[in-house]
């Protein structure tokens, strides 16, 4: 499977997708218009070490809900990601059994390399 979970209103996501120069075999899912399902999130979780690694602590709601002051569990991270799309760290790119989470320079470079292998 080759898939990218992204937000169409996020300029960073769009820039990264453009930089990746992806092929037609990639499925793009705008997480605002097509919510992430429990099954999709579990598939992502199987490719990484935790739900927390998929969770964006930069989301505005994270601050608004005072989540920084709370001790969140894996179940909490999963619940929040499923409840609101902004809690997913973006973009998430899946290439077969590899997952690339977020927009750090290191992650983007690793994603580019995997896309063109």
């Amino acid at each position: 499977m080759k898939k990218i979970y992204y937000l169409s209103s996020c300029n960073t996501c769009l820039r990264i997708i453009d930089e990746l120069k992806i092929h037609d075999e990639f499925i793009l899912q705008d997480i605002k218009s097509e919510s992430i399902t429990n099954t999709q999130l579990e598939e992502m979780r199987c490719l990484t070490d935790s739900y927390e690694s998929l969770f964006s602590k930069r989301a505005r709601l994270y601050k608004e809900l005072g989540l920084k002051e709370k001790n969140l569990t894996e179940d909490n991270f999963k619940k929040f990601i499923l409840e609101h799309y902004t809690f997913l760290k973006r973009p998430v790119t899946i290439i077969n059994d590899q997952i690339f989470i977020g927009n750090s320079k290191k992650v983007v470079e690793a994603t580019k390399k995997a896309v063109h292998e």
Side-chain angles (χ1 to χ4, degrees):
M1 172 175 62
K2 295 182 178 184
K3 187 162 192 172
I4 300 177
Y5 295 92
Y6 76 107
L7 188 57
S8 62
S9 59
C10 172
N11 290 333
T12 302
C13 286
L14 297 176
R15 176 185 52 78
I16 291 169
I17 291 169
D18 188 52
E19 281 181 31
L20 293 177
K21 297 181 179 17
I22 57 172
H23 311 289
D24 291 340
E25 71 264 17
F26 274 85
I27 299 166
L28 297 177
Q29 180 173 333
D30 181 358
I31 59 174
K32 186 173 183 177
S33 60
E34 186 182 343
S35 297
I36 297 166
T37 66
N38 188 57
T39 302
Q40 289 172 327
L41 186 56
E42 287 177 5
E43 287 170 354
M44 288 183 232
R45 169 59 185 88
C46 286
L47 297 172
T48 189
D49 58 348
S50 65
Y51 286 111
E52 184 175 8
S53 66
L54 293 162
F55 187 85
S56 173
K57 293 181 179 173
R58 297 173 69 190
R60 187 172 54 207
L61 275 178
Y62 181 72
K63 293 175 184 80
E64 288 176 8
L65 297 174
L67 299 179
K68 186 177 184 177
E69 290 77 38
K70 297 181 179 170
N71 287 329
L72 299 177
T73 65
E74 278 292 286
D75 287 338
N76 295 138
F77 289 120
K78 180 180 179 182
K79 178 180 83 81
F80 282 119
I81 292 170
L82 289 171
E83 282 179 4
H84 204 276
Y85 64 89
T86 60
F87 285 120
L88 182 70
K89 193 181 284 187
R90 306 173 302 272
V92 174
T93 305
I94 297 174
I95 302 172
N96 302 319
D97 61 348
Q98 295 179 290
I99 189 166
F100 304 91
I101 305 164
N103 56 32
S104 73
K105 193 171 192 126
K106 183 178 175 182
V107 169
V108 173
E109 289 306 315
T111 308
K112 283 181 189 176
K113 186 176 177 186
V115 165
H116 299 289
E117 282 183 342

